[in-house]
Amino acid sequence: GKMLYRKRSQTIERSFADAKQLHGLRYCRFRGREHVQEQALLTAACQNMKKIANHLARLA
């Protein structure tokens, strides 16, 4: 269990920390559940695109 928790803290928790620090998820820009959810989904999409770009850069 401890090994899984260490791995989780390095991968999952780092993703949330990056979203808060680098992508503005510390505060919501809009009001309402739908708008906040839209902001969170766009942030997640940006993070996924960054991961893909970094992966492709390593392959080239």
Side-chain angles (χ1 to χ4, degrees):
K2 289 182 180 183
M3 289 280 272
L4 290 174
Y5 186 74
R6 273 191 221 136
K7 186 172 184 175
R8 176 179 180 239
S9 69
Q10 293 172 358
T11 56
I12 304 300
E13 301 296 333
R14 183 75 247 157
S15 178
F16 286 114
D18 286 344
K20 282 178 71 174
Q21 290 178 353
L22 303 175
H23 299 286
L25 265 190
R26 189 172 298 273
Y27 303 104
C28 296
R29 298 184 198 283
F30 307 104
R31 290 182 152 203
R33 186 179 150 273
E34 292 85 16
H35 293 295
V36 172
Q37 187 173 15
E38 184 178 320
Q39 179 186 353
L41 290 173
L42 285 172
T43 300
C46 288
Q47 286 184 299
N48 289 335
M49 285 187 273
K50 279 176 49 177
K51 283 183 185 180
I52 291 169
N54 287 333
H55 181 71
L56 291 175
R58 275 189 246 130
L59 293 178

